[in-house]
Amino acid sequence: MPVTTAASSSLPSQTIELSPSYTLPLGLLVVAVPLLLFSPWLASAIAIFGLFLLFQAVTIRLQFTPTALDVYRSDKMIRRFPYQEWQNWKIFWTPVPILFYFKEVNSIHFLPMLFDPKMLRTCLEERCPIRN
């Protein structure tokens, strides 16, 4: 099945892989630097979390297929979330998206915003419209 990058046009019948976004992890690393003057422990914790998210942004990929959201680590699929089981979703903090939430029939999921937020929203609106 062909994989379309986030830059090209999308049709719900295509598989779309989201481009990574390094904004959140790099933002945390930038915030950690001035915190070193006030609280080295807090700065270290934030920096370590930022590095962890940076590693995740490099290795984790989301693919929107016609029937499910697939999560990959490198080339290995680690989880599939069929759209038919989704109840709702939300992207938190619109000015600078930091968190993606979605609820399935039996569980909820929170993902840090490590993906192109505009393309994420587009894919979600096309493939899994919010049901109230």
Side-chain angles (χ1 to χ4, degrees), residues 26-44:
L26 294 177
L28 288 172
L29 292 172
V30 167
V31 166
V33 172
L35 279 177
L36 280 170
L37 299 172
F38 304 104
S39 177
W41 288 106
L42 180 60
S44 297

Side-chain angles (χ1 to χ4, degrees), residues 31-105:
V31 166
V33 172
L35 279 177
L36 280 170
L37 299 172
F38 304 104
S39 177
W41 288 106
L42 180 60
S44 297
I46 291 173
I48 289 169
F49 185 56
L51 289 172
F52 169 74
L53 290 180
L54 186 61
F55 174 75
Q56 295 295 339
V58 169
T59 60
I60 301 290
R61 291 293 168 264
L62 295 184
Q63 286 188 358
F64 283 88
T65 70
T67 59
L69 170 64
D70 294 342
V71 180
Y72 285 83
R73 177 172 287 124
S74 299
D75 292 330
K76 182 182 178 191
M77 184 172 56
I78 56 176
R79 190 78 192 267
R80 172 167 280 159
F81 300 101
Y83 305 131
Q84 66 188 18
E85 296 179 8
W86 289 38
Q87 292 182 330
N88 62 2
W89 57 266
K90 183 172 178 134
I91 297 173
F92 287 100
W93 206 36
T94 304
V96 180
I98 59 171
L99 192 64
F100 166 48
Y101 155 86
F102 66 98
K103 181 179 180 190
E104 291 183 293
V105 174

